[in-house]
Amino acid sequence: MSLDKLLNELVSQKLQTQTRRHFLLDCVSKMGGLALAPLLFGCELGKNGTANGGLNLSDRDLNPLSPQPAPFLGKAKSIIYLHMAGAPSQLELFDFKPELAKYHDQDCPASLLEGRKFAFIRGVPKMLGPQAKFSQHGESGAWISDYLPHFSKVADEVAFLKAMHTDQFNHGPAQLFMQTGSPRLGRPSLGSWVTYGLGTENQNLPGFVVLTSGGKTPDAGKSIWGSGFLPSVYQGVQCRSKGDPVLYLEDPHGMSRELKKHVVSAINQSNQEDFQNFGDPEILARINQYEMAYRMQIEVPEVMNINDEPAHIHELYGTQPGEESFANNCLLARKLVEKGVRVVQLYDWGWDTHGTDHDGSIDMGLRNKCRSIDRPMTALLLDLKQRGLLEETLVVWGGEFGRTPMQENREGKKMGFMGRDHHVDAFTMWMAGGGVKKGTSYGITDDFGFAGLEERTSVHDLHATILHLMGFNHEQFTYQFQGRPFRLTDVHGELITKIMA
Amino acid sequence: MTNTPLQALVTLNDPVYLDAAKALSQKVWAKSGKNPDVAIQELYRQLLLMPISEAKKKSMIELFATAKTEFDRDPKARDEFFPGSDASLAALAVTANAMMNLDEYLTKP
């Protein structure tokens, strides 16, 4: 009896609190809310009150991940983005600055400090010469350090962007900026835009898969692969990097596939009714996600299993099944792209080399960290190439900002280890594969590697270029939200044509 | 509220959610006088705190019937799914599992 009383109490409470959806329903049906509808729904859905009454649903609404032709011919069909969370030092990897070595341990010139703020550097820091040995590689003569011996061998496959710059010197906002085009929360990620625009080739797998390594997820959290104001069916789906890639893929004991199909169908029929009543696009996303879940149960265990890969592939990547590692994730990325997944985003944490401890030191920790990605990322390029997939897969590598040519002096004191502070004015990224001009380098920094002198590339320029390579004009690829069209690049972005094939 | 296929897999397949669906079904089944129609309305009322619509009731009754037919035909599967139940109770648990995956159940007002 007491349970009944409790239930009755809950029922009356529920009646008292009108839900947001009921409010919206009333607005649309009773207030003649036609003018309001686009503002509320922010998309083509919710056309209540049209001549035939109900909601107009396009095929795209019902099959949001079905493959779409790009607006114009893009060279790349899929993208693998390797984000080194924490921001690796360009001065130890790709941006060779012999001049900086001469100033090692000398006071930083005042001209570099005037009017500038750093995340941790205070007062006058010492300069910090390059701690790696550099040499030129391949026919392109790319400068790559001895921290990346494997990668040096594929120098001719990539295009370097050496004068990247950003305007955010803290990890969270900088990661958001790099992945969503805005340092503030709420915008769709690059991967969501691409999945929204192109759908995906394999309807049994999510269009946008995220894998992390390095023991931590990025500082900015899941929003950096979020869908923002795009329907949430386009958000990145994070698979686990250790143990089962996705939990609860198995149906309950005794429930057949056929019966599960009926369960999902009954759920979706009921949700469909709610969608007809309320027009909330999130319900539509829910319906699609349940269908995806049902289909994923078959294909995910197979594609996410690296145990059965041949020995030479494990050798190539340096993979050890069962571990959480960047190497395993690189191999998975190749498998996913091969299966028709549109976007694979890898995050590897542990690049924030401030010099506060051994692992965070430029001369030791960074070298070890590089060792953990050197072979896998090289293998990824070689493996994609040998399968003929590199031509249609865009591979992007980089962090959220760079590191200072000065040695960090947290709270004005000398640090125990050699470290570099966050730096916004210059850092290096590279791209390879679909539509990228091999063996090129774009951007020149000054003698200290402090700031770009020529061919500077903003985050928006990078995004514009990536979208271009995927077949979009970044100025025309928009989504209507809150009364105005939004772009990944907002009102910025110039194509970097010199690195296009 | 999370809206990903991973969320769907959890609330569909995680034993915790299934155990809850089974326990609720047991209670409601006894109370309904073993009447599927009454039981389905009561399940919905307990989960959503309002009466079920006609269309949803129809979907859920169909699901119940399909599940019951399958468990009648395959008692081994029924025992695996819900040990100690009969086909009707197991089918009601399948229905409760579906209701606990409705958008309106998962989405807080």
Side-chain angles (χ1 to χ4, degrees):
Chain A
M1 278 317 283
S2 63
L3 183 65
D4 277 344
K5 277 184 191 157
L6 200 63
L7 262 176
N8 284 338
E9 191 185 320
L10 285 169
V11 171
S12 65
Q13 267 182 19
K14 177 156 177 147
L15 289 174
Q16 280 168 17
T17 53
Q18 280 279 323
T19 71
R20 180 179 62 95
R21 280 180 183 164
H22 285 103
F23 171 73
L24 294 180
L25 180 69
D26 288 350
C27 285
V28 174
S29 58
K30 292 177 190 159
M31 289 165 39
L34 270 178
L36 203 56
L39 289 175
L40 291 173
F41 299 115
C43 64
E44 289 305 305
L45 296 173
K47 283 180 178 163
N48 240 335
T50 47
N52 56 5
L55 296 165
N56 274 344
L57 285 181
S58 66
D59 184 52
R60 178 80 168 141
D61 293 328
L62 298 171
N63 301 292
L65 292 174
S66 59
Q68 303 291 315
F72 64 94
L73 200 58
K75 295 273 174 61
K77 285 185 181 159
S78 47
I79 173 167
I80 299 175
Y81 193 124
L82 316 172
H83 188 124
M84 305 297 110
S89 166
Q90 74 283 8
L91 296 165
E92 266 68 34
L93 299 184
F94 303 117
D95 206 12
F96 179 44
K97 293 296 158 189
E99 199 66 16
L100 180 59
K102 296 179 192 162
Y103 288 82
H104 181 71
D105 232 10
Q106 293 184 25
D107 280 352
C108 178
S111 60
L112 295 185
L113 302 171
E114 264 166 28
R116 287 186 184 276
K117 270 171 104 175
F118 297 90
F120 292 96
I121 283 175
R122 300 288 178 269
V124 180
K126 305 283 189 200
M127 300 310 286
L128 177 58
Q131 296 302 304
K133 287 195 178 66
F134 279 80
S135 49
Q136 284 181 291
H137 298 270
E139 284 180 26
S140 58
W143 288 98
I144 301 176
S145 86
D146 61 347
Y147 280 22
L148 297 171
H150 288 91
F151 188 73
S152 308
K153 294 176 201 148
V154 292
D156 286 344
E157 291 293 335
V158 305
F160 292 95
L161 297 168
K162 289 197 163 176
M164 286 291 309
H165 62 95
T166 176
D167 56 21
Q168 297 296 319
F169 69 35
N170 282 314
H171 298 292
Q175 288 164 358
L176 275 168
F177 187 29
M178 189 56 82
Q179 294 299 333
T180 74
S182 163
R184 284 164 292 279
L185 292 164
R187 301 278 298 276
S189 57
L190 168 66
S192 295
W193 277 107
V194 170
T195 315
Y196 165 65
L198 295 178
T200 185
E201 302 294 330
N202 186 333
Q203 298 302 303
N204 298 334
L205 293 170
F208 177 11
V209 175
V210 177
L211 294 163
T212 64
S213 56
K216 260 179 76 172
T217 45
D219 307 66
K222 297 180 193 309
S223 302
I224 47 175
W225 57 86
S227 54
F229 44 71
L230 295 177
S232 52
V233 70
Y234 300 113
Q235 69 188 297
V237 171
Q238 185 190 6
C239 291
R240 289 151 41 102
S241 316
K242 197 177 177 182
D244 294 337
V246 174
L247 294 175
Y248 307 115
L249 277 172
E250 273 182 42
D251 286 321
H253 295 303
M255 187 184 279
S256 66
R257 274 268 91 189
E258 188 58 27
L259 182 53
K260 172 53 73 64
K261 196 171 156 188
H262 282 98
V263 169
V264 171
S265 150
I267 293 166
N268 283 353
Q269 275 172 28
S270 298
N271 286 344
Q272 186 72 38
E273 190 198 339
D274 286 344
F275 177 70
Q276 292 295 340
N277 286 336
F278 296 109
D280 181 349
E282 277 304 293
I283 304 179
L284 207 55
R286 176 87 62 199
I287 292 169
N288 291 310
Q289 301 290 34
Y290 270 69
E291 284 172 0
M292 173 60 75
Y294 176 77
R295 295 191 303 260
M296 271 172 70
Q297 286 181 271
I298 302 297
E299 190 128 359
V300 165
E302 201 271 311
V303 72
M304 296 297 283
N305 177 11
I306 58 168
N307 293 321
D308 301 336
E309 289 291 313
H312 71 93
I313 290 292
H314 285 303
E315 176 65 22
L316 185 67
Y317 283 86
T319 32
Q320 285 179 323
E323 277 191 351
E324 182 210 80
S325 73
F326 183 74
N328 289 5
N329 289 350
C330 279
L331 175 50
L332 286 170
R334 187 272 286 165
K335 285 180 61 115
L336 288 164
V337 160
E338 199 173 32
K339 285 281 182 184
V341 171
R342 187 69 70 195
V343 183
V344 182
Q345 178 86 43
L346 305 193
Y347 288 98
D348 186 59
W349 189 84
W351 293 89
D352 196 17
T353 44
H354 284 283
T356 48
D357 55 12
H358 177 280
D359 285 353
S361 64
I362 286 289
D363 50 339
M364 296 173 290
L366 180 63
R367 187 185 285 271
N368 288 336
K369 194 67 196 162
C370 286
R371 207 165 281 155
S372 76
I373 65 156
D374 182 29
R375 197 154 73 146
M377 72 184 185
T378 309
L380 178 63
L381 296 184
L382 293 173
D383 199 11
L384 287 170
K385 194 176 180 185
Q386 72 184 2
R387 283 158 207 273
L389 289 169
L390 190 56
E391 287 161 33
E392 52 186 55
T393 307
L394 178 62
V395 183
V396 181
W397 179 97
E400 60 267 26
F401 42 60
R403 315 290 319 183
T404 55
M406 298 87 85
Q407 171 146 18
E408 184 167 325
N409 62 347
R410 199 169 288 203
E411 292 167 5
K413 292 175 196 148
K414 189 170 164 57
M415 314 279 283
F417 295 84
M418 276 190 242
R420 300 186 186 277
D421 199 358
H422 306 171
H423 193 50
V424 298
D425 295 290
F427 60 107
T428 302
M429 292 185 70
W430 59 256
M431 296 209 270
V436 174
K437 194 170 184 179
K438 297 173 177 188
T440 48
S441 181
Y442 183 80
I444 296 167
T445 56
D446 59 41
D447 284 347
F448 286 166
F450 186 90
L453 293 176
E454 283 172 35
E455 300 179 331
R456 299 174 77 234
T457 306
S458 75
V459 173
H460 301 298
D461 300 340
L462 176 76
H463 289 161
T465 306
I466 290 173
L467 287 181
H468 176 87
L469 295 173
M470 304 295 297
F472 296 99
N473 178 332
H474 73 104
E475 293 181 337
Q476 284 162 19
F477 186 24
T478 61
Y479 190 86
Q480 195 72 21
F481 177 65
Q482 288 185 337
R484 77 148 166 119
F486 275 83
R487 286 166 29 191
L488 172 61
T489 49
D490 202 7
V491 296
H492 312 279
E494 300 280 337
L495 292 182
I496 315 161
T497 48
K498 279 194 181 170
I499 64 149
M500 293 176 189
Chain B
M1 176 65 208
T2 314
N3 199 350
T4 72
L6 305 187
Q7 167 274 319
L9 289 168
V10 172
T11 48
L12 284 169
N13 298 339
D14 181 347
V16 168
Y17 288 90
L18 285 152
D19 283 352
K22 289 172 194 170
L24 181 63
S25 305
Q26 240 161 352
K27 219 175 278 177
V28 167
W29 188 233
K31 202 176 162 187
S32 72
K34 303 198 173 183
N35 177 330
D37 207 74
V38 175
I40 282 166
Q41 293 184 59
E42 181 58 18
L43 270 184
Y44 188 89
R45 195 185 68 86
Q46 294 222 7
L47 290 169
L48 276 305
L49 307 171
M50 57 186 180
I52 191 167
S53 73
E54 278 308 311
K56 282 179 199 165
K57 194 168 96 183
K58 190 167 162 283
S59 306
M60 292 300 157
I61 285 174
E62 275 171 17
L63 174 61
F64 175 87
T66 309
K68 184 169 179 305
T69 311
E70 187 160 325
F71 288 137
D72 271 331
R73 204 173 44 217
D74 190 352
K76 194 166 154 274
R78 182 204 65 210
D79 273 347
E80 273 175 11
F81 178 69
F82 195 167
S85 68
D86 59 22
S88 296
L89 179 54
L92 192 64
V94 169
T95 315
N97 177 230
M99 280 188 199
M100 290 169 77
N101 277 280
L102 293 179
D103 180 76
E104 54 184 342
Y105 181 76
L106 296 167
T107 307
K108 282 247 173 81

